[in-house]
Amino acid sequence: MVLLLFIGGGALSAQNSSEVDVILRTRELSFAQAAGFVLTAAELLPLDTPGGRVGELNALALAANSGFLPKRVSPTVAGSGDVPIKLGELCFLIMKSFNMKGNFLYSLFPGPRYSYRELKYMRLVPEPSDPAMPVSGLQLMQITEQVLYYLGTDAGTTDGIQK
């Protein structure tokens, strides 16, 4: 629970403790769960968005319509939001949601592969990691915390070195 204190007010203000508990207990997050959490943390969802399953479906629709998700995941295709999200796909969702700029390859081929490599390079993805591995709720919160910290520090600089 100490980790939750560092995530920031935006992520926690729209999510109650029972929703956070569900995410923390989840071993394999779905696209809908991940979209709900990440879009809330990025402040792309209005604060009055309902929580629970309704909020997840609203977040899934917003993420899909914004091009943050693979084509196979759509709010109009029954059950596609319940598919487990992989780490590379989560990295892509995070980079798009927080409007993070990537390197040359990411700018040419924005997608899970290069977004994973970019967040890995920035040391925002904890070890062990693989872009094809499923994501747990704890990993989602750790990565989101790292991204919020990174974006909150002097425009992404650490030790005077621009990332």
Side-chain angles (χ1 to χ4, degrees):
M1 294 307 282
V2 173
L3 173 68
L4 297 178
L5 296 174
F6 297 108
I7 291 180
L12 295 178
S13 63
Q15 300 203 5
N16 64 38
S17 62
S18 64
E19 292 169 353
V20 171
D21 286 343
V22 168
I23 289 173
L24 280 172
R25 286 192 310 264
T26 304
R27 289 181 180 253
E28 288 189 4
L29 285 174
S30 68
F31 275 95
Q33 289 173 307
F37 191 84
V38 171
L39 293 177
T40 301
E43 299 179 350
L44 295 177
L45 284 178
L47 293 178
D48 61 349
T49 300
R53 187 67 180 152
V54 173
E56 289 174 0
L57 293 176
N58 288 342
L60 185 68
L62 175 61
N65 292 335
S66 300
F68 299 175
L69 300 176
K71 300 264 187 258
R72 65 184 169 87
V73 179
S74 169
T76 59
V77 177
S80 71
D82 296 327
V83 173
I85 191 168
K86 304 296 183 201
L87 184 56
E89 296 163 331
L90 175 65
C91 291
F92 183 63
L93 173 64
I94 287 172
M95 286 194 70
K96 294 299 259 182
S97 297
F98 286 98
N99 197 27
M100 297 174 75
K101 305 298 179 217
N103 63 17
F104 178 70
L105 288 174
Y106 177 78
S107 63
L108 287 178
F109 308 107
R113 177 181 179 155
Y114 292 110
S115 58
Y116 167 78
R117 294 173 113 187
E118 191 66 23
L119 292 183
K120 186 80 170 159
Y121 172 76
M122 290 186 246
R123 296 186 178 133
L124 302 178
V125 177
E127 291 293 338
S129 67
D130 181 284
M133 69 186 264
V135 180
S136 72
L138 180 59
Q139 289 168 320
L140 169 70
M141 291 195 179
Q142 288 173 332
I143 295 168
T144 306
E145 174 196 6
Q146 291 295 322
V147 168
L148 288 170
Y149 178 77
Y150 175 83
L151 294 174
T153 58
D154 197 21
T157 62
T158 55
D159 300 322
I161 300 170
Q162 181 71 31
K163 297 280 183 174

